[in-house]
Coordinates of all heavy atoms in Angstrom, one line a residue:
D156 N 17.9 254.1 33.4 CA 19.2 254.0 32.8 C 19.8 252.6 32.8 O 21.0 252.5 32.9 CB 20.2 255.0 33.4 CG 19.8 256.5 33.3 OD1 19.1 256.7 32.4 OD2 20.3 257.3 34.2
D157 N 18.9 251.6 32.6 CA 19.4 250.2 32.5 C 20.2 249.8 33.7 O 21.0 248.8 33.7 CB 20.2 250.0 31.3 CG 19.4 250.2 30.0 OD1 18.3 249.8 30.1 OD2 20.0 250.7 29.0
K158 N 19.9 250.5 34.9 CA 20.6 250.1 36.2 C 19.6 249.0 36.9 O 18.7 248.4 36.2 CB 20.8 251.3 37.1 CG 21.8 252.2 36.5 CD 21.9 253.4 37.4 CE 23.0 254.5 36.8 NZ 23.2 255.6 37.7
T159 N 20.0 248.6 38.0 CA 19.3 247.5 38.8 C 17.8 247.8 38.8 O 17.4 248.9 39.2 CB 19.8 247.4 40.2 OG1 21.2 247.2 40.2 CG2 19.2 246.3 41.0
P160 N 17.0 246.9 38.4 CA 15.5 247.0 38.4 C 15.0 247.1 39.8 O 15.5 246.5 40.8 CB 15.0 245.8 37.7 CG 16.2 245.2 37.0 CD 17.4 245.6 37.7
I161 N 14.1 248.0 40.0 CA 13.4 248.2 41.3 C 12.0 247.7 41.2 O 11.2 248.2 40.4 CB 13.5 249.7 41.7 CG1 14.9 250.2 41.8 CG2 12.8 249.9 43.0 CD1 14.9 251.7 42.0
R162 N 11.7 246.7 42.1 CA 10.3 246.2 42.0 C 9.5 246.9 43.3 O 10.0 246.9 44.4 CB 10.4 244.7 42.3 CG 9.1 243.9 42.3 CD 9.3 242.5 42.4 NE 8.1 241.7 42.6 CZ 7.5 241.3 43.7 NH1 8.2 241.6 44.8 NH2 6.4 240.6 43.8
L163 N 8.4 247.4 42.9 CA 7.5 248.0 44.0 C 6.1 247.7 43.7 O 5.6 247.2 42.7 CB 7.8 249.5 44.0 CG 7.8 250.3 42.7 CD1 6.4 250.7 42.4 CD2 8.6 251.5 42.8
Q164 N 5.3 248.0 44.8 CA 3.8 247.8 44.7 C 3.1 249.0 44.8 O 3.4 249.9 45.5 CB 3.3 246.9 45.8 CG 1.9 246.4 45.7 CD 1.5 245.4 46.8 OE1 2.1 245.4 47.9 NE2 0.5 244.6 46.6
M165 N 2.0 249.1 44.0 CA 1.1 250.2 44.1 C 0.5 250.3 45.4 O 0.2 249.3 46.2 CB 0.0 250.2 43.1 CG 0.4 250.2 41.6 SD 0.6 252.0 41.1 CE -1.0 252.6 41.0
K166 N 0.2 251.5 46.0 CA -0.4 251.6 47.3 C -1.8 252.2 47.3 O -2.5 252.1 48.3 CB 0.5 252.5 48.2 CG 2.0 251.9 48.3 CD 1.9 250.6 49.0 CE 3.3 250.1 49.2 NZ 3.4 248.7 49.8
E167 N -2.2 252.9 46.2 CA -3.4 253.7 46.3 C -4.1 253.4 45.0 O -3.5 252.8 43.9 CB -3.2 255.1 46.4 CG -2.4 255.5 47.6 CD -3.1 255.4 48.9 OE1 -4.4 255.2 48.9 OE2 -2.5 255.4 50.0
K168 N -5.3 253.8 44.9 CA -6.1 253.8 43.6 C -5.4 254.7 42.5 O -5.2 254.3 41.4 CB -7.5 254.4 43.8 CG -8.3 254.4 42.5 CD -8.7 253.2 41.9 CE -9.6 253.4 40.7 NZ -9.9 252.1 40.0
T169 N -4.8 255.8 42.9 CA -4.0 256.6 42.1 C -2.7 256.9 42.9 O -2.8 257.4 44.0 CB -4.7 258.0 41.7 OG1 -5.9 257.6 40.9 CG2 -3.8 258.7 40.9
D170 N -1.6 256.5 42.3 CA -0.3 256.6 43.0 C 0.6 257.6 42.2 O 0.7 257.6 41.0 CB 0.3 255.3 43.1 CG 0.5 254.9 44.5 OD1 0.1 255.6 45.4 OD2 0.9 253.7 44.8
T171 N 1.3 258.6 43.0 CA 2.3 259.3 42.4 C 3.6 258.7 43.0 O 3.9 258.8 44.2 CB 2.2 260.8 42.7 OG1 1.0 261.3 42.1 CG2 3.4 261.5 42.1
I172 N 4.4 258.0 42.2 CA 5.5 257.2 42.6 C 6.8 258.0 42.3 O 7.1 258.3 41.2 CB 5.5 255.8 42.0 CG1 4.2 255.1 42.3 CG2 6.7 255.0 42.6 CD1 4.0 253.8 41.5
R173 N 7.6 258.3 43.3 CA 8.9 258.8 43.2 C 9.9 257.7 42.7 O 10.5 257.0 43.5 CB 9.4 259.5 44.5 CG 8.4 260.6 45.1 CD 9.0 261.0 46.4 NE 8.1 262.1 47.0 CZ 8.4 262.7 48.1 NH1 9.5 262.4 48.8 NH2 7.5 263.6 48.5
V174 N 10.1 257.7 41.5 CA 10.9 256.7 40.9 C 12.4 257.0 40.7 O 13.2 256.1 40.6 CB 10.4 256.1 39.5 CG1 9.0 255.5 39.8 CG2 10.3 257.3 38.5
A175 N 12.7 258.3 40.7 CA 14.0 258.8 40.6 C 14.2 260.1 41.2 O 13.5 261.0 41.0 CB 14.3 259.0 39.1
E176 N 15.2 260.2 42.1 CA 15.6 261.5 42.7 C 17.2 261.6 42.8 O 17.9 260.5 42.8 CB 15.0 261.5 44.1 CG 13.5 261.6 44.1 CD 12.9 261.9 45.5 OE1 13.2 261.1 46.4 OE2 12.1 262.8 45.6
N177 N 17.6 262.8 42.8 CA 19.1 263.0 42.9 C 20.0 262.4 41.9 O 21.0 261.9 42.1 CB 19.5 262.6 44.4 CG 18.7 263.3 45.5 OD1 18.5 264.5 45.4 ND2 18.4 262.6 46.5
L178 N 19.4 262.3 40.6 CA 20.1 261.9 39.5 C 21.1 262.9 39.1 O 21.0 264.1 39.4 CB 19.3 261.4 38.4 CG 18.2 260.3 38.7 CD1 17.2 260.2 37.4 CD2 18.9 259.0 38.9
S179 N 22.0 262.4 38.2 CA 22.9 263.4 37.8 C 22.2 264.3 36.7 O 21.2 263.9 36.1 CB 24.2 262.7 37.0 OG 23.6 261.9 35.9

Side-chain angles (χ1 to χ4, degrees):
D156 296 334
D157 294 323
K158 294 181 180 177
T159 303
I161 300 170
R162 181 173 174 268
L163 51 87
Q164 188 179 23
M165 295 281 291
K166 300 299 182 186
E167 306 289 344
K168 173 69 176 176
T169 299
D170 249 352
T171 300
I172 305 171
R173 300 178 180 180
V174 295
E176 291 185 308
N177 301 318
L178 298 174
S179 60

